[in-house]
């Protein structure tokens, strides 16, 4: 029999592996339309690499890389330090990642120039999904913390590049869904009820009216696609296949759906052939970070 704590850590590992698997699966079809995906793959459901980044099989993109940079900062400092996180992101940018988002690049260049990690000027224009895609370490570190601590901790990584209210709202909702999964909530309708209640104050994210195909990097479209796939399927595998076959920003919809569905369905629900394809160095880092952050979480300074 596993203890409650062991089960919790297993779900945290599943969320981390889910993120990486979704990123790796989606990267192949990023920027393709659903029609192009059907033409080329029928249904895209294997981790095969390629895509516009010409990735080797099992490679991941900025979504997982930035999450790992953020996770390492939390582990190293035992805190959520905007300065340390900005430095970790900056070090990552120095590796010349080919798939760095425009908003992320702009935010990190601003940091290089000013040495101020947090951008205090709200950007009303650019509500991209670049903060939401990398928030998993924050979600793990803030498990069972107050909403105030969660929001403030999220801001310290998000506002380095995405000082935007829509992005903040989306991040907070995704963290809440991950927390429900970590708690062992097994009823999909209960999670859906939380999202639907949130829509009353965040109506832009309404996802029940129009099917979202080809979602852009706009956080609203990204989450609409993720919610539609997560709430209209009943397994990790179905959810991930559904979301990446919508094309568009498929690595990021895959990554966000992967962390939510990973926490909810657990590690055994992640197809073994996907886990085996994942770059072993990446899956090891994901697993180790998930375990360390969960073990550290009581000591973290927020
Ligand atoms: Mg990416």
């Amino acid at each position: 029999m596993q203890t409650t704590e062991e089960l919790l850590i297993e779900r945290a590992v599943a969320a981390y592996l889910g993120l990486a698997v979704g990123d790796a699966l989606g990267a192949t079809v990023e920027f393709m339309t659903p029609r192009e995906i059907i033409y080329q793959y029928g249904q895209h459901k294997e981790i095969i690499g390629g895509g516009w980044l010409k990735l080797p099989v099992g490679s991941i993109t900025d979504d997982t890389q930035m999450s790992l940079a953020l996770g390492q900062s939390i582990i190293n400092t035992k805190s959520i330090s905007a300065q340390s996180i900005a430095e970790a992101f900056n070090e990552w940018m120095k590796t010349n990642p080919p798939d760095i988002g425009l908003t992320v690049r702009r935010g990190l260049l601003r940091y290089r120039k000013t040495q101020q990690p947090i951008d205090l000027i709200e950007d009303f224009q650019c509500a991209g999904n670049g903060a939401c895609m990398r928030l998993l370490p924050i979600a793990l570190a803030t498990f069972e913390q107050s909403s105030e601590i969660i929001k403030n901790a999220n801001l310290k990584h998000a506002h380095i590049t995405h000082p935007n209210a829509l992005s903040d709202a989306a991040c907070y909702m995704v963290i809440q869904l991950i927390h429900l999964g970590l708690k062992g909530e097994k009823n999909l309708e209960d999670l859906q009820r939380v999202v639907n209640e949130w829509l009353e104050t965040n109506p832009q994210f309404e996802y029940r009216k129009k099917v979202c195909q080809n979602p852009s990097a706009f956080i609203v479209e990204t989450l609409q696609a993720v919610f539609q796939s997560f709430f209209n399927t009943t397994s990790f595998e179905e959810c991930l296949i559904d979301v990446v076959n919508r094309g568009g920003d498929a690595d990021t919809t895959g990554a966000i759906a992967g962390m939510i569905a990973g926490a909810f369905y657990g590690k055994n629900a992640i197809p073994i052939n996907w886990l085996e394809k994942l770059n072993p160095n990446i899956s090891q880092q994901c697993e180790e970070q998930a375990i360390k952050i969960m073990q550290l979480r009581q000591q973290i300074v927020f």
Side-chain angles (χ1 to χ4, degrees):
M1 250 310 256
Q2 284 176 299
T3 65
T4 317
E5 185 67 16
E6 282 166 349
L7 282 169
L8 173 64
I9 289 178
E10 194 176 283
R11 285 191 286 263
V13 168
Y16 237 118
L17 291 172
L19 152 72
V21 155
D23 184 5
L25 183 72
T28 306
V29 292
E30 186 184 10
F31 299 135
M32 291 174 77
T33 64
R35 191 186 284 260
E36 286 166 342
I37 296 170
I38 290 169
Y39 183 74
Q40 197 162 338
Y41 300 105
Q43 188 184 46
H44 173 57
K45 53 183 183 184
E46 301 297 338
I47 293 181
I48 53 171
W52 74 278
L53 291 165
K54 299 190 170 59
L55 293 172
V57 180
S59 286
I60 44 76
T61 75
D62 53 347
D63 310 55
T64 309
Q65 286 170 346
M66 291 195 87
S67 303
L68 288 169
L70 171 54
Q72 201 54 54
S73 160
I74 296 174
I75 292 164
N76 291 349
T77 63
K78 294 194 177 66
S79 70
I80 313 289
S81 152
Q83 185 69 46
S84 160
I85 297 165
E87 218 24 70
F89 289 165
N90 190 31
E91 285 303 312
W92 165 74
M93 188 161 77
K94 284 183 192 163
T95 66
N96 270 329
D99 55 338
I100 184 168
L102 282 177
T103 312
V104 167
R105 181 185 294 279
R106 195 173 59 213
L108 294 179
L109 290 175
R110 179 201 55 75
Y111 165 69
R112 279 185 189 175
K113 209 158 88 186
T114 62
Q115 288 299 304
Q116 294 298 321
I118 299 291
D119 190 349
L120 296 173
I121 302 164
E122 173 155 10
D123 182 351
F124 295 101
Q125 306 293 326
C126 192
N129 56 22
C132 193
M133 72 181 191
R134 66 180 184 226
L135 58 67
L136 180 61
I138 297 286
L140 301 191
T142 59
F143 182 62
E144 290 184 320
Q145 297 291 342
S146 69
S147 60
E148 197 188 339
I149 286 179
I150 296 169
K151 285 178 183 170
N152 191 41
N154 185 66
L155 185 149
K156 287 186 192 170
H157 84 95
H159 285 205
I160 297 170
T161 53
H162 291 70
N164 176 278
L166 271 180
S167 164
D168 288 346
C171 288
Y172 183 60
M173 187 68 250
V174 170
I175 292 174
Q176 280 181 283
L177 290 176
I178 294 167
H179 285 177
L180 288 168
L182 293 179
K183 271 184 196 146
E185 183 58 68
K186 279 290 157 259
N187 199 342
L188 205 52
E189 284 93 55
D190 288 342
L191 271 68
Q192 190 162 22
R193 196 171 323 116
V194 172
V195 171
N196 293 352
E197 280 170 15
W198 171 78
L199 289 178
E200 288 167 20
T201 44
N202 295 272
Q204 305 94 321
F205 290 91
E206 176 58 67
Y207 65 95
R208 295 165 294 185
K209 295 200 170 129
K210 186 171 162 276
V211 177
C212 181
Q213 295 284 33
N214 209 16
S216 69
F218 178 38
I219 187 60
V220 171
E221 288 186 22
T222 303
L223 276 205
Q224 284 169 333
V226 168
F227 290 154
Q228 287 175 7
S229 295
F230 182 55
F231 293 126
N232 291 322
T233 55
T234 53
S235 72
F236 180 90
E237 184 175 17
E238 271 183 88
C239 169
L240 272 280
I241 291 174
D242 188 273
V243 87
V244 300
N245 280 278
R246 293 165 190 261
D249 202 357
D251 56 327
T252 297
T253 58
I256 297 172
M259 50 181 121
I260 298 171
F264 182 75
Y265 290 111
K267 196 179 168 198
N268 293 337
I270 305 177
I272 201 89
N273 57 321
W274 289 355
L275 288 174
E276 282 171 357
K277 286 277 165 55
L278 206 56
N279 177 325
N281 179 33
I282 295 299
S283 39
Q284 193 189 342
Q285 284 184 63
C286 287
E287 222 160 306
E288 283 174 3
Q289 285 203 1
I291 295 168
K292 276 192 194 146
I293 294 171
M294 292 317 283
Q295 287 172 341
L296 265 180
R297 70 185 194 279
Q298 320 282 16
Q299 305 164 41
I300 291 173
V301 178
F302 291 104

